[in-house]
Amino acid sequence: MSVLLMAVRCCAGVPIDTLFAGMPGRLLPLLNLDNRLDCLDLYNSKMNAEVTNVWGERSRLTAKTADYLRVELSAASRMELKLLPLGNDTVIGRIHTVLTPAADSRVDFFTTAWEPWGGVLVVPPSVDEFWMRPDTVTEARFEELRRAAGVAWVEAAFSSAGDTLTYSLSLDNVRSDWREEMRRCLRPVAYHWDGTKFVR
């Protein structure tokens, strides 16, 4: 029996399950087919969906709806999938986030055959768009905080309950005693899927 037929048989009627099980190894090398099917089976049985991946580390399926899935691949990375309606077709959004030294995400889009989607479906925000000075922070302090933030590590996340893609500036690599003050100067940038692309 082929891998695809096995995935369809095990996950019939749940598209996100089928697509997750059928992901090419080049896109998800940490989890082989058995790992993925075990995760799905455990999660759908309302059990702890944790498995030992091909590197001998622990991976866990932590959230799943009809069009959304999130996997903590390791202590240092995670992946999200989101199914997006596009006319009579479906586009798969994938976010791969590396968590060290700070959360940093890559957003890609694919066809349901896992071929790269050629269109531009979102233009990520510039670093300046995350920063907004509140009245309680002086201009001098605001600029000091911006400089202290250093390299821009940008984290992305899909909404599990709607067609929203949110970008945030990660502060994981910033001195801990400045983070709360920096958060008051930052805002997430959210995009909504309009059926053809993500718009602000």
Side-chain angles (χ1 to χ4, degrees):
M1 183 181 293
S2 72
V3 166
L4 182 58
L5 285 177
M6 288 175 64
V8 169
R9 186 184 70 174
C10 295
C11 313
V14 188
I16 195 75
D17 291 37
T18 305
L19 291 166
F20 174 61
M23 284 186 74
R26 61 186 166 80
L27 297 177
L28 191 55
L30 267 181
L31 297 177
N32 59 31
L33 177 62
D34 287 340
N35 290 154
R36 298 176 210 176
L37 293 179
D38 285 345
C39 278
L40 292 168
D41 185 51
L42 290 166
Y43 190 94
N44 292 336
S45 299
K46 302 187 185 306
M47 299 172 67
N48 180 31
E50 187 172 279
V51 298
T52 300
N53 62 41
V54 298
W55 288 355
E57 300 177 342
R58 303 302 287 173
S59 297
R60 187 161 65 99
L61 175 58
T62 57
K64 185 172 71 70
T65 68
D67 63 1
Y68 173 82
L69 182 148
R70 183 177 68 242
V71 182
E72 306 300 328
L73 295 171
S74 70
S77 66
R78 66 171 176 264
M79 183 192 72
E80 296 178 60
L81 300 179
K82 183 73 175 179
L83 306 187
L84 302 163
L86 181 64
N88 295 323
D89 205 348
T90 299
V91 173
I92 307 168
R94 183 194 66 161
I95 298 175
H96 183 254
T97 301
V98 176
L99 302 172
T100 56
D104 191 52
S105 299
R106 175 175 176 174
V107 182
D108 298 298
F109 298 94
F110 300 88
T111 69
T112 53
W114 288 110
E115 294 298 328
W117 183 263
V120 178
L121 300 182
V122 64
V123 177
S126 66
V127 174
D128 289 343
E129 293 177 85
F130 294 111
W131 290 92
M132 177 177 288
R133 184 177 68 85
D135 294 338
T136 55
V137 177
T138 66
E139 289 189 15
R141 180 56 174 165
F142 181 71
E143 290 306 317
E144 184 180 26
L145 291 170
R146 287 198 55 166
R147 289 194 299 272
V151 175
W153 302 94
V154 179
E155 183 176 6
F158 288 121
S159 168
S160 62
D163 293 340
T164 302
L165 170 61
T166 302
Y167 288 89
S168 304
L169 201 64
S170 174
L171 299 180
D172 296 342
N173 207 34
V174 173
R175 50 185 289 181
S176 58
D177 56 331
W178 282 26
R179 288 177 190 169
E180 189 56 40
E181 190 175 9
M182 284 185 182
R183 287 190 184 99
R184 294 198 293 270
C185 299
L186 292 169
R187 59 176 181 174
V189 179
Y191 295 75
H192 180 73
W193 180 254
D194 71 354
T196 60
K197 61 185 180 300
F198 280 101
V199 296
R200 292 281 290 272

